[in-house]
Amino acid sequence: MAAQPVSRMLRRVLRSSVRSCSSGAPVTQPHPGEPSQPAVEVPSGRRRFLREHAAPFSAFLTDSLGRHHSYLRISLTEKCNLRCQYCMPEDGVPLTPKADLLTTEEVLTLARLFVKEGVDKIRLTGGEPLVRPDVVDIVAQLHQLEGLRTIGITTNGISLARLLPQLQKAGLSAINISLDTLVPAKFEFIVRRKGFRKVMEGIHKAIELGYSPVKVNCVVMRGLNEDELPDFVALTEGLPLDVRFIEYMPFDGNKWNFRKMVSYKEMLDTLRQQWPELEKLPEEESSTAKAFKIPGFRGRVSFITSMSEHFCGTCNRLRITADGNLKVCLFGNSEVSLRDHLRAGASEEELLSVIGAAVGRKKRQHAGMFSISQMKNRPMILIGG
Ligand code: SAM
């Protein structure tokens, strides 16, 4: 393997070949469909004790600002059975040849390594992760990893109703389903394909199988679906949904422009006109979402404010693309190929030094929406949201 830049701290850690991870807290696998957080509140004295006496988090997954990266998103494929306007350029994307994509064994080798270092949540994404034929098997194998508390998936929902019973049995514990409109004809316009009914079936299957909350991701775009916000919120009255309104983000080829973006504040103002009682919920650690609830409603509403109020300060996420590149920031264009190192026969320690160096270079925050919109990055379909 070619010599890699390794920070002094990493060299020290490598020399002593100590793998420092684990929070020290007991780790339990949640049952599929159960929330990943412990149902019982840990008394604050005990929480303080655990924090003070816990082993330090992996140095390789800690950046120069002390952010601990315990959440890994793995893209399983570049392919998708929809063509969402905001995600996929109109002419499609050139797909990476199959031989250059991570194999199942490579996905699992990397997952194992990250979990050993302290990653406790993995989300499978894409492309559309459910088009990968061995997705159930991958979930089952991830479920064997000690220390992995949550296995989530982000899906467009087209094949969900069919696959969810198997995925749940395999150990899938959290689901995000993308749905940007409740109007079937508009659905076809936004995603450039049919399938509204299948997505709704997927949402209802997830509820039926006990996932709670079922997260629904809705990218809000002016002139397209911002008039439907109240209809989405109304769904949370009787259903255990977390409807997440996502600010429209710029990626290569998605024709983003500032006027099409509806900010979190604007969405909130709209909803408060109808529901002045909309109540802010306490922020969860490292959460990207600002959560709200209407008293008496079963579900809740959240906002992903990556553009108007970024949450880089508490970012704990890393991404691996389907072709095996590690991306430390969704909006950064620096990437390192873990696939190439794996295929060159890198040892665990060598891989960790590559990962540690990339994490160490992670910037304090993204460049801001206007700079991002001018910057070269991948289209979202090739990153995995
Ligand atoms: N195919 C899956 C799906 O549709 O959920 C997973 C991949 S998709 C890239 C992951 C998430 O990214 C989706 O919830 C999608 O809505 C979101 N996304 C894609 N492009 C976006 C954009 N330009 N702005 C905001 N969110 C976006």
Side-chain angles (χ1 to χ4, degrees):
M1 196 183 83
Q4 295 300 314
V6 182
S7 73
R8 260 219 321 268
M9 176 186 71
L10 284 168
R11 272 187 222 285
R12 222 176 33 239
V13 178
L14 271 175
R15 251 200 318 273
S16 61
S17 105
V18 174
R19 187 184 60 76
S20 49
C21 69
S22 149
S23 65
V27 171
T28 50
Q29 291 274 6
H31 292 294
E34 280 183 1
S36 56
Q37 300 299 320
V40 181
E41 255 297 281
V42 182
S44 60
R46 174 156 166 72
R47 206 183 295 137
R48 197 175 327 114
F49 176 88
L50 287 174
R51 207 180 295 132
E52 284 166 7
H53 295 82
F57 190 80
S58 165
F60 299 103
L61 301 187
T62 304
D63 69 12
S64 59
L65 299 164
R67 291 173 293 199
H68 293 168
H69 295 83
S70 57
Y71 181 1
L72 178 65
R73 297 184 177 206
I74 303 177
S75 171
L76 291 186
T77 178
E78 296 178 344
K79 290 188 184 154
C80 189
N81 39 9
L82 299 183
R83 294 285 180 277
C84 302
Q85 295 188 20
Y86 51 77
C87 184
M88 172 92 101
E90 203 162 356
D91 306 331
V93 287
L95 296 176
T96 305
K98 186 155 190 260
D100 296 338
L101 298 173
L102 290 182
T103 63
T104 304
E105 207 34 61
E106 287 168 338
V107 167
L108 294 169
T109 301
L110 290 175
R112 214 172 288 126
L113 183 63
F114 277 90
V115 171
K116 247 167 107 181
E117 286 302 307
V119 160
D120 63 4
K121 177 171 178 178
I122 290 183
R123 174 169 299 282
L124 302 175
T125 177
E128 170 49 39
L130 298 188
V131 303
R132 182 152 170 153
D134 57 356
V135 61
V136 176
D137 188 40
I138 290 176
V139 171
Q141 302 221 40
L142 291 177
H143 192 52
Q144 305 301 317
L145 300 181
E146 200 184 322
L148 187 59
R149 292 164 62 96
T150 307
I151 306 171
I153 208 159
T154 300
T155 170
N156 60 30
I158 294 286
S159 314
L160 190 63
R162 181 171 54 84
L163 289 174
L164 193 53
Q166 301 166 59
L167 287 164
Q168 185 175 51
K169 236 183 251 153
L172 186 75
S173 49
I175 303 186
N176 289 23
I177 303 165
S178 302
L179 180 67
D180 311 303
T181 177
L182 298 171
V183 180
K186 209 194 279 185
F187 178 91
E188 277 183 41
F189 174 72
I190 296 176
V191 310
R192 303 184 183 116
R193 292 287 186 276
K194 292 189 188 304
F196 177 76
R197 197 180 41 81
K198 285 188 173 167
V199 180
M200 293 308 284
E201 276 171 21
I203 292 174
H204 286 286
K205 179 60 84 180
I207 294 171
E208 182 192 317
L209 293 182
Y211 287 89
S212 182
V214 173
K215 295 187 179 176
V216 173
N217 288 354
C218 173
V219 180
V220 180
M221 286 165 291
R222 195 178 309 284
L224 207 51
N225 60 354
E226 95 271 32
D227 58 325
E228 291 191 55
L229 263 59
D231 299 336
F232 273 99
V233 175
L235 285 180
T236 69
E237 180 166 7
L239 298 174
L241 299 178
D242 180 357
V243 171
R244 294 145 48 95
F245 296 120
I246 306 179
E247 288 178 346
Y248 179 31
M249 307 180 228
F251 293 101
D252 266 19
N254 79 349
K255 301 193 179 144
W256 182 89
N257 88 48
F258 179 64
R259 285 184 301 279
K260 282 198 228 164
M261 196 201 87
V262 185
S263 73
Y264 149 61
K265 287 272 160 59
E266 189 182 335
M267 294 189 235
L268 197 57
D269 284 349
T270 306
L271 295 180
R272 282 229 156 100
Q273 284 172 23
Q274 187 160 341
W275 291 284
E277 69 276 33
L278 195 66
E279 183 185 289
K280 176 121 172 42
L281 299 174
E283 300 216 348
E284 285 165 22
E285 208 184 328
S286 298
S287 173
T288 51
K290 295 178 175 59
F292 290 78
K293 191 172 171 64
I294 295 167
F297 279 25
R298 243 180 118 189
R300 63 188 199 175
V301 178
S302 307
F303 300 90
I304 313 284
T305 64
S306 335
M307 295 294 98
S308 66
E309 288 184 21
H310 69 74
F311 28 79
C312 306
T314 55
C315 180
N316 67 343
R317 292 158 186 75
L318 297 173
R319 291 180 161 76
I320 298 178
T321 59
D323 56 349
N325 278 7
L326 177 68
K327 251 181 117 63
V328 296
C329 172
L330 176 59
F331 301 109
N333 52 14
S334 77
E335 300 183 2
V336 53
S337 174
L338 300 181
R339 176 204 64 203
D340 288 353
H341 287 285
L342 266 178
R343 292 187 185 177
S347 66
E348 248 186 36
E349 280 195 353
E350 286 165 334
L351 277 170
L352 283 175
S353 77
V354 172
I355 294 165
V359 172
R361 286 193 298 268
K362 178 161 171 164
K363 300 220 168 81
R364 177 179 290 274
Q365 60 190 58
H366 69 58
M369 60 182 148
F370 294 108
S371 308
I372 294 169
S373 66
Q374 304 301 318
M375 197 179 86
K376 188 90 198 113
N377 192 0
R378 294 176 180 234
M380 181 58 138
I381 187 81
L382 297 182
I383 301 176

